[in-house]
């Protein structure tokens, strides 16, 4: 069988922006900082003390492309479960600590890959930084200073009147300076707000003021639709400036959806190798096929395929043929039929009712022929 030369066009040499130079961290096996790829994070919604349920959700997140996972630790039972979870998880586990400083030490002792602390609501946090820095240094455990607009230190709220960008950045930089006084610099910083404009400015201030890696997030972003838009615009604005080393899309949705959206945001900016991508038109009066139905069926038919594919669903003969020719696999449809393209060449014409099954058949053939070590994903266009 003749090998079909496939491969999505390489990203242009000009990227969004050079990464902001930062210090480098190791969060378990994952490198964090400007020398490493941007990582996708999410957080489990299970009761951490339920080890089996938590590990199951971590496995689902891992399969969805999550690089690092955070688990809540509000109780002694949760803290007791951390060693087993950290040991059995396939991706690094960060313990999320609020209110009780004793759980910071429990998480470090448990072997968690990192600890996230919220200085705004941990009792007398500043008084314990020397002990935390010593324990984290001894175990090689990084610390994320996670400032949140909803739990900002009362002193800063009084000073600034509300959770302004300046207040968020000041809180994080103050805590980082206290760690630095004890010679501890394995820090990652986040300053989250539900307003993308406030959040972006807070991170810009941080980027100008320190060289610590930054974890991006719009907190309480909302349901899936609203939260995806908020996160995408905020991350895009910052990544365009080279700001951001890890991301978490916060959604009122299952954690797997957070990981998927985060991965897709990075893929769309050429910051992560692309996988399945649907490029489809919004349809118009020229369309001669049901674009929405066709796009949905092709997406469902290709779901789970590991070979990266770009699928563009076009509904008329104006742009369809051109889009299909630019792809590794595509269909230009109209007048009750579809022309199937492979790498710019028409290989067959099929009735409209066979477009979806033919595309899936061709996609499976491409997946079998694609060399495992070949670089660059193939592209699929439906037009």
């Amino acid at each position: 069988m003749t090998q079909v030369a496939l491969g999505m066009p390489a990203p242009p040499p000009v990227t969004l922006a050079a990464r902001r130079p930062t210090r480098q961290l190791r969060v378990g096996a994952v490198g964090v900082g400007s020398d490493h790829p941007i990582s996708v994070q999410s957080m489990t919604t299970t009761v951490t003390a339920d080890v089996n349920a938590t590990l199951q959700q971590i496995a689902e997140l891992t399969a969805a492309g999550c690089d690092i996972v955070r688990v809540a630790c509000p109780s002694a039972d949760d803290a007791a479960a951390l060693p087993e979870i950290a040991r059995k998880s396939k991706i690094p586990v960060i313990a999320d600590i609020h209110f009780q400083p004793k759980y910071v030490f429990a998480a470090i002792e448990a072997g968690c890959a990192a600890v996230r602390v919220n200085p705004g609501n941990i009792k007398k946090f500043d008084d314990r930084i020397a002990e935390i820095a010593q324990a984290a240094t001894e175990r090689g455990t990084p610390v994320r200073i996670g400032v949140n607009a909803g739990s900002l230190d009362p002193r800063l709220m009084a000073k600034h009147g509300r959770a302004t960008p300046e207040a968020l950045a000041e809180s994080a930089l103050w805590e980082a300076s206290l760690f630095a006084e004890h010679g501890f610099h394995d820090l990652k910083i986040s300053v989250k707000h539900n307003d993308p404009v406030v959040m972006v400015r807070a991170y810009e201030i941080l980027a100008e003021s320190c060289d610590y890696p930054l974890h991006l997030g719009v907190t309480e972003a909302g349901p899936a639709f609203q939260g995806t838009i908020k996160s995408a615009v905020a991350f895009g604005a910052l990544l365009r400036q080279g700001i951001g080393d890890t991301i978490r899309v916060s959604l009122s949705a299952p954690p797997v959806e957070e990981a998927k959206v985060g991965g897709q945001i990075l893929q769309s900016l050429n910051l992560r190798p692309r996988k399945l991508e649907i490029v489809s038109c919004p349809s118009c009066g020229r369309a001669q096929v049901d674009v929405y139905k066709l796009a949905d069926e092709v997406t469902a038919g290709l779901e789970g395929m590991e070979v990266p594919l770009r699928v563009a669903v076009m509904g008329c003969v104006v742009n369809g043929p051109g889009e299909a020719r630019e792809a590794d696999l595509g269909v230009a449809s109209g007048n009750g039929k579809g022309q199937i393209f492979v790498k710019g060449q028409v290989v067959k014409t099929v009735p409209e009712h066979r477009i979806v099954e033919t595309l899936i058949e061709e996609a499976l053939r491409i997946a079998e022929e694609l060399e495992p070590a070949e670089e660059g994903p193939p592209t699929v266009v439906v037009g």
Side-chain angles (χ1 to χ4, degrees), residues 22 26 59 74 82 90 104 107 112 124 145 152 154 157 161 168 174 191 202-203 217 227 278 295 316 358 360 364 380:
T22 72
R26 298 299 305 184
L82 290 177
K90 300 298 184 183
V104 176
C112 289
K124 297 183 178 180
I145 298 173
L152 192 63
M157 288 292 288
L168 294 169
W174 167 253
V191 282
Y203 278 99
I278 305 299
C316 75
T358 303
I360 294 172
L364 292 173
V380 179

Side-chain angles (χ1 to χ4, degrees), residues 22 67 74 104 128 156 203 370 381:
T22 72
D67 300 303
V104 176
R128 306 297 298 274
L156 289 170
Y203 278 99
L370 191 63
V381 172

